[in-house]
Amino acid sequence: MATVPGRIGDLLISKGLLTKKQLDIALIQQRVTGAILGDTLISLGFVTAREFAQTIAHQFGIEYLDLRSYTITEEALRLVPKDTAQKGAFIPLEMKDGTLSIGVMNPSNIVAVDSVRHLTGRPPQVYLVDQDAYGDILESAYYFVEHPVLQRLEDLTRGLKSGGAVPSAIVPELTELLLMDGIRRQATDIHFTPSKEVLHVFYRIDGVLAYGHCLPRIIQSTLASRIKIMAHLDIAEQRLPQDGSYTLEFLNKKYDLRISTVPSIYGENVVIRVLSTSGSLMHISTLGLNDGVVDTVRRLFNKSHGIILVTGPTGSGKTTTLYSCLREIDLLERNVITVEDPVEYRLNFVRQTEVNEKAGYTFASSARTFMRQDPDVMLLGEIRDGETAQMAIRASITGHLVLSTLHTNDAVTSIPRLLDLGMDKLLLSSALLAVMAQRLARRICPHCKEEYGLSEPETALFKRAGMEVTRGWRGTGCERCNNSGYSGRTCIAEVMIINSEIKELVYAGASTGAIFQAALRGGMVPLHLDGLRKVAAGHTTLAEVQRVAG
C-alpha cells in the first residue's frame, strides 16, 4: 500500500468518499491491529480498493488503470518472470515501441522501475492499480500463460476424435478446462448444448452468448454426468430437469456454480451460472447512471421507511445496483439486514444472511425474523411470492426502509405485478417510494472506437425522441476486446418516483398507460430515451440499446 503525502483520510473526506465518523473508527481499529490506514479503510468497507487507488493516483499525478477491464498482452507476461513481478510488486501490461507499461500499487515503487529498466534497457510507463485487482489479475494472467487452456482443450479433443470409448481420466480434466476457460473469459454462464453430431459450448460474456468450443458428440453424456456428480445430482435421472450447486476454488477465489440440467432430444442440456463470491463493490457514480438519477437515488436511500424496488431481467445488474446504493446509507447509525440467494457482495456493518430453502429459511420467513432484529433497513434479495410481498409491505408501514428486486420489464409494470402477488392497493400506494428499472448495455471498446455517420433511419430514430444526432460511435474490433468492439458494460435506467398523482392512480386501479404518463409528468426518463442519450454521448451503440431496451 502506498504512503501518501499529506493526510489520506482528509483527502478522501474532501472527495466525498469518506466521513469523519468513518475515519475515526478506522483510526481506532488501526491502533488495535497495527495495519496501514489504507488497508483498514478498505477492510472496513468504508472505501473500495479502487477508490483508494484512484485517490492516490490523483494525489501523485499518475494515471489510474482498472485491471479488471484491461487485457494484458502475452508478450509482456513472457518478458517478465512471475517471481520478478511479485518481488517488485508490479504487473507487466504491454510492450509498445520498446517501452513496457506496468501497473504498481505504490507510486513510489522504485524497485519496479529498476527491474523493468534492467530487463528492457528503458524506464517503464507506470500506471497505478488497486490492490484487489492486482492480486486477482496477477495470478490469473500468469496462470493462463503457463497453462495454455485452449491448447490443452484442443489436444484432448483431438484424442477423442479417434473413436472408441471415452477414457475416464479425460473427463474431469476436460470439465475443469472448460470451467477455467469460462472464468478466463469472465463468463457469467456456460452452456453445454448437445446437437445431433457434436456438443457445442457457449459462454455468456457481457450479457451476450459467445461461441466457445465444439466437442465430439461422444463426450456429451459423460461430461453431463461429471457435472451432475460435482453438483450432487442424480446421474441416473436423465428424463427430468435437475438443479444443484457447488463451490469451485480457483486461483485463491471461490466461485459459486449453479447447475441446471434439462432433457433435450439430443441429450441433457446443461447450463452453469458462475457467481464469484468475492465481487468488487462499485460506487453508485461508477454504474453509468446519469447525474440526475444518482442524485434521486441518494435521496431515496436515505428515507426512513417505504419500499424501493430495482427491476429488470436476470443478469441486468440489480443486486450490484442495490449494494452500490446501500453504500449511500450511514451503516454506522442504521442497522441494515439482508437476505440473499446467494450473498454476492460482503459489506462490513451489514448483517448478511443467505436463503436456505431446504431448511425452510426463505425470503418471507427471514423478513418475519428480521422484524425482531431491530432493523432500520431490510434488503430482501427478491420478491418472489405473495408472502414475501406482504412481509415487505408490513415492514415498510411499521417504519422500516425495505429494498428488494423484482422481475419486470420496466418500472410501471411492477405495479400490476405486485398487485398480482396479492398486495392491497391502499397499502401499496402508501408504501411504495420508487421503482428503478435497468438494463446493462455493452460499452464501446475505447481502444478501437471510431466515429461514423448515422444512416437516415438511425437519425430518424433520434428525431422521434427529440434529439438532433447525425454522428455515432462504434468499435471496429481489436485484440483487447476479442474483436467484439465492446469492453465492459454501462447501466441504462429509468426511475419512477411514486408521487401523489401516481399514488391516487394506483389506489384507483388505473391502467399502466395512465401510470406511465403520470411518471413522465413526474420527470421519469424512459429506458429507451436514457439509452439513446448514452449512444449520443458515445458510451454505447444504437444496436446495443435496441437489443437490451427494445
Side-chain angles (χ1 to χ4, degrees), residues 467-479:
M467 303 169 66
E468 292 291 335
V469 181
T470 58
R471 308 288 293 177
W473 295 88
R474 62 190 174 195
T476 58
C478 64
E479 184 180 327

Side-chain angles (χ1 to χ4, degrees), residues 69-372:
S69 58
Y70 186 89
T71 303
I72 299 171
T73 65
E74 189 172 321
E75 178 190 10
L77 292 168
R78 293 195 181 279
L79 180 64
V80 182
K82 182 182 178 182
D83 60 342
T84 301
Q86 286 179 318
K87 288 177 182 176
F90 71 96
I91 184 169
L93 302 172
E94 180 185 25
M95 190 72 174
K96 189 174 182 180
D97 299 328
T99 299
L100 180 67
S101 299
I102 64 170
V104 300
M105 295 175 287
N106 187 336
S108 304
N109 190 341
I110 304 301
V111 174
V113 175
D114 288 343
S115 298
V116 173
R117 193 193 301 270
H118 177 73
L119 285 169
T120 66
R122 300 176 65 172
Q125 172 68 46
V126 179
Y127 297 92
L128 202 71
V129 299
D130 63 81
Q131 63 179 20
D132 284 357
Y134 173 83
D136 291 343
I137 304 300
L138 181 75
E139 287 295 325
S140 62
Y142 275 103
Y143 179 88
F144 288 114
V145 167
E146 296 165 2
H147 303 81
V149 171
L150 296 180
Q151 183 61 52
R152 184 56 184 155
L153 277 170
E154 188 177 322
D155 293 342
L156 289 178
T157 304
R158 191 183 301 115
L160 291 170
K161 286 180 182 178
S162 59
V166 178
S168 58
I170 282 182
V171 180
E173 183 181 2
L174 183 63
T175 307
E176 186 178 66
L177 288 169
L178 291 169
L179 292 175
M180 286 180 182
D181 194 36
I183 292 171
R184 179 183 69 87
R185 299 181 188 218
Q186 298 182 12
T188 56
D189 300 86
I190 305 173
H191 293 243
F192 298 90
T193 307
S195 66
K196 185 177 180 179
E197 298 178 341
V198 296
L199 174 65
H200 299 289
V201 181
F202 292 87
Y203 297 109
R204 186 171 294 280
I205 302 167
D206 286 341
V208 178
L209 280 181
Y211 193 78
H213 306 282
C214 181
L215 304 176
R217 180 74 171 79
I218 192 175
I219 196 71
Q220 188 271 326
S221 61
T222 50
L223 187 65
S225 295
R226 172 62 183 172
I227 294 171
K228 289 164 76 173
I229 289 171
M230 295 164 73
H232 305 290
L233 301 178
D234 184 358
I235 62 172
E237 180 57 77
Q238 299 180 10
R239 300 164 300 171
L240 296 173
Q242 294 189 66
D243 293 301
S245 65
Y246 71 98
T247 300
L248 172 71
E249 292 193 28
F250 179 57
L251 298 177
N252 302 321
K253 287 186 71 175
K254 290 185 178 180
Y255 296 88
D256 186 15
L257 304 183
R258 300 296 177 93
I259 315 300
S260 173
T261 69
V262 173
S264 74
I265 58 174
Y266 295 117
E268 289 184 287
N269 193 84
V270 180
V271 176
I272 302 177
R273 165 61 59 91
V274 183
L275 296 168
S276 173
T277 57
S278 56
S280 177
L281 196 59
M282 300 177 70
H283 193 272
I284 187 174
S285 60
T286 64
L287 295 177
L289 302 172
N290 63 57
D291 293 342
V293 170
V294 171
D295 292 340
T296 299
V297 168
R298 280 178 170 152
R299 288 197 304 272
L300 287 170
F301 275 71
N302 280 289
K303 296 280 188 181
S304 61
H305 61 276
I307 300 175
I308 301 174
L309 297 175
V310 179
T311 75
T314 301
S316 59
K318 299 186 293 295
T319 303
T320 300
T321 296
L322 268 183
Y323 260 92
S324 298
C325 296
L326 206 58
R327 294 186 63 202
E328 300 301 314
I329 295 173
D330 189 341
L331 301 178
L332 299 175
E333 290 189 352
R334 304 177 76 183
N335 182 21
V336 180
I337 307 178
T338 79
V339 58
E340 302 159 72
D341 184 23
V343 172
E344 294 184 40
Y345 300 97
R346 281 151 176 78
L347 198 59
N348 275 285
F349 303 104
V350 173
R351 292 76 180 166
Q352 297 174 271
T353 64
E354 280 190 342
V355 164
N356 188 337
E357 305 234 352
K358 290 182 179 178
Y361 188 60
T362 64
F363 287 119
S365 64
S366 65
R368 283 193 298 271
T369 305
F370 285 178
M371 300 289 280
R372 298 188 290 272

